[in-house]
Amino acid sequence: LPEISALPSLQPEPHPAHRGGLLFLVIGRAVVIGFGSLCGLGYAAWAGYLPNPLMKRPTPEQPFAALNAINSAQTTVDVHFALEPREEDVEPLDFSLFEEPTDEESSSSAPAFASIAQMLPSDLDLNLSITSSFTKEDETADQETHIAGTYTGNNISANINLTTRTVGGTTYVKPDAIPLPIPIFDMSALEGKWINFDTESDDREVFEYTNTFKNLNKKNEEEKTTDPQAELFTLLQQGVSDGAIIFSVPERVTYNETRAWYTEAVIDGEKLRETVLSIGENRETLFPEITEYSLFTDKFLENSGKERAKDTYKEIFKRMELSATMNDDGSPLMIAFSTRLAPKLEEDIFKDRQITFETEIHFNNINAPITLTAPEDAISTDEAIALLMGTNPDDNMRDKQQETITDLRDAL
């Protein structure tokens, strides 16, 4: 038999038009693959998985500058506070190093919260969501705060739902659910009702004693010379510069259906202590308008300089977790913080327990106008008391008139 290679080919020669179609198909496939690759690389760069020269990640300094530039905003703070069985890696810490002595002749004292801790249930679990609007530059601006959450402890569970609103200097409160240690009143009578706490409109005020207290409070506000926010921001900014607070490279995430940047921080306790001491040495220059310090007090700086403060700083910040979610310009979307602590007390209150604290701060409507209106159906405090006591409104009005007459007689 002849060799196969010697046999004539049975496949016909491709027509020139067929060769052009095959070439077009190959080119089309290459274009599709190339376009898909470009799209994939573009998405990876947009998502932050690959370097993108057109999209710069926010620097660690930008979030602090953006926070300091916030004049008004709406925030929602989610808080979880619990007393739980102590985990193996949570060693008791002695916080008396930073406590102010209660007796001038005594050089040591129990922590200030020791007496409060004794009253806390060992199975305390508190969850709160606090939504508020604020204006930093104007303390008299309208504002509203809503607190909602749950409380459990000593086999007692309770719901929390309280709203306060200040409009034009008048405060209104809507107590939908308030947990009381002793159920003296049935708070359900006030559910859904706004209470007007404007005491100046009370007809029983024959004497201006309330104005005296208001003037005293105003005087105290004018004499206020502390600025804890300035001290805290200085500590954070200087901590980043000194390498005491190190942020990870921001990564692309999705926050409320929008693209954002996420970063985590590692705090070096020993370096942060050195930052505290360096700020303390220059506090008069850094805070020229402050005459009374909130954070960098003489006692705090003195104790921070002690040798045993090194281990305390190291242990405290070792169990702290800090993260931030932000926009491209560094403006905050969410700041999360959590820690686990076991304070060492003489009474051994936390011998086998630990404090777990977690919080998330969500920012909305940054530097946007805040508009609030006074509730039209607000009731007076006397009407609220009458509802709690279950008395007739007409009887309550008659008693109020009698008290006014008695006050007038005493005045005359």
Side-chain angles (χ1 to χ4, degrees):
L1 294 175
E3 295 291 335
I4 295 178
S5 58
L7 293 176
S9 174
L10 300 179
Q11 296 181 354
E13 290 292 330
H15 191 274
H18 292 171
R19 286 198 299 268
L22 180 62
L23 179 62
F24 177 78
L25 182 61
V26 172
I27 295 175
R29 288 178 178 177
V31 170
V32 171
I33 295 174
F35 181 76
S37 300
L38 289 176
C39 290
L41 292 174
Y43 173 79
W46 174 78
Y49 300 122
L50 294 177
N52 184 355
L54 301 179
M55 183 185 298
K56 295 183 179 179
R57 291 177 170 86
T59 63
E61 292 79 13
Q62 282 183 288
F64 296 126
L67 277 173
N68 204 21
I70 295 178
N71 294 321
S72 64
Q74 184 183 43
T75 59
T76 299
V77 183
D78 297 326
V79 179
H80 176 224
F81 181 86
L83 295 181
E84 302 174 323
R86 185 162 59 87
E87 302 176 46
E88 294 182 358
D89 63 328
V90 180
E91 294 294 332
L93 292 175
D94 184 8
F95 289 96
S96 61
L97 177 70
F98 305 107
E99 290 296 321
E100 298 283 350
T102 56
D103 184 2
E104 295 182 358
E105 298 179 357
S106 175
S107 59
S108 62
S109 63
F113 56 81
S115 57
I116 300 177
Q118 291 177 343
M119 298 183 293
L120 297 177
S122 58
D123 58 344
L124 172 66
D125 191 282
L126 178 65
N127 293 277
L128 293 177
S129 181
I130 307 171
T131 302
S132 62
S133 57
F134 72 93
T135 302
K136 183 174 64 174
E137 300 297 334
D138 186 5
E139 296 182 356
T140 63
D142 299 342
Q143 53 187 337
E144 181 178 274
T145 300
H146 177 241
I147 304 175
T150 58
Y151 163 87
T152 57
N154 287 343
N155 298 321
I156 298 176
S157 299
N159 295 323
I160 305 170
N161 197 330
L162 176 68
T163 305
T164 64
R165 181 185 300 176
T166 301
V167 179
T170 301
T171 300
Y172 304 87
V173 179
K174 186 159 69 77
D176 290 328
I178 301 179
L180 297 176
I182 302 177
I184 303 176
F185 302 110
D186 182 9
M187 301 298 295
S188 60
L190 299 178
E191 289 183 3
K193 291 182 173 57
W194 285 99
I195 305 172
N196 185 341
F197 275 82
D198 184 11
T199 56
E200 291 184 353
S201 63
D202 197 335
D203 296 334
R204 289 181 297 172
E205 283 191 14
V206 179
F207 303 104
E208 295 296 328
Y209 63 91
T210 54
N211 289 340
T212 302
F213 288 115
K214 289 182 180 179
N215 293 334
L216 180 62
N217 292 334
K218 183 178 181 181
K219 182 179 179 181
N220 291 338
E221 290 178 359
E222 293 175 352
E223 293 177 353
K224 183 179 180 181
T225 57
T226 61
D227 191 353
Q229 179 174 316
E231 296 180 59
L232 180 59
F233 271 102
T234 301
L235 175 60
L236 293 175
Q237 291 175 334
Q238 193 63 39
V240 172
S241 301
D242 295 344
I245 305 175
I246 304 174
F247 284 92
S248 63
V249 177
E251 298 179 357
R252 270 298 191 186
V253 295
T254 300
Y255 176 84
N256 288 344
E257 300 181 356
T258 61
R259 302 301 292 173
W261 294 101
Y262 174 82
T263 180
E264 296 180 348
V266 176
I267 304 176
D268 188 326
E270 275 191 65
K271 288 187 177 180
L272 190 64
R273 171 177 168 271
E274 296 175 359
T275 300
V276 168
L277 295 176
S278 64
I279 294 177
E281 294 177 356
N282 303 308
R283 58 181 182 174
E284 289 82 4
T285 304
L286 294 171
F287 317 109
E289 298 180 356
I290 297 179
T291 57
E292 183 179 350
Y293 303 96
S294 298
L295 178 60
F296 297 99
T297 62
D298 294 336
K299 191 66 177 179
F300 177 71
L301 294 173
E302 179 185 348
N303 289 336
S304 297
K306 295 180 179 179
E307 185 66 24
R308 66 190 183 100
K310 295 181 179 180
D311 295 334
T312 304
Y313 268 88
K314 183 179 179 180
E315 290 298 321
I316 288 177
F317 294 101
K318 183 175 68 174
R319 292 191 289 271
M320 285 189 178
E321 297 180 1
L322 177 65
S323 63
T325 304
M326 51 195 160
N327 289 313
D328 294 338
D329 60 354
S331 57
L333 294 172
M334 182 188 70
I335 297 177
F337 169 80
S338 65
T339 185
R340 297 169 297 147
L341 298 173
K344 187 177 182 181
L345 304 178
E346 295 180 358
E347 296 83 357
D348 284 340
I349 301 173
F350 295 103
K351 181 179 180 181
D352 300 319
R353 316 295 290 177
Q354 73 178 30
I355 296 176
T356 299
F357 179 80
E358 301 171 334
T359 182
E360 291 183 353
I361 306 175
H362 303 261
F363 294 84
N364 292 293
N365 302 324
I366 295 178
N367 294 334
I370 299 173
T371 303
L372 297 173
T373 58
E376 298 179 355
D377 56 347
I379 62 177
S380 64
T381 53
D382 291 329
E383 292 174 320
I385 294 174
L387 288 174
L388 288 177
M389 301 300 294
T391 58
N392 186 286
D394 295 334
D395 295 340
N396 182 65
M397 180 62 69
R398 184 164 49 252
D399 294 339
K400 177 180 176 181
Q401 292 174 349
Q402 292 292 339
E403 292 178 8
T404 302
I405 294 173
T406 301
D407 290 341
L408 286 171
R409 285 175 176 172
D410 295 339
L412 294 174

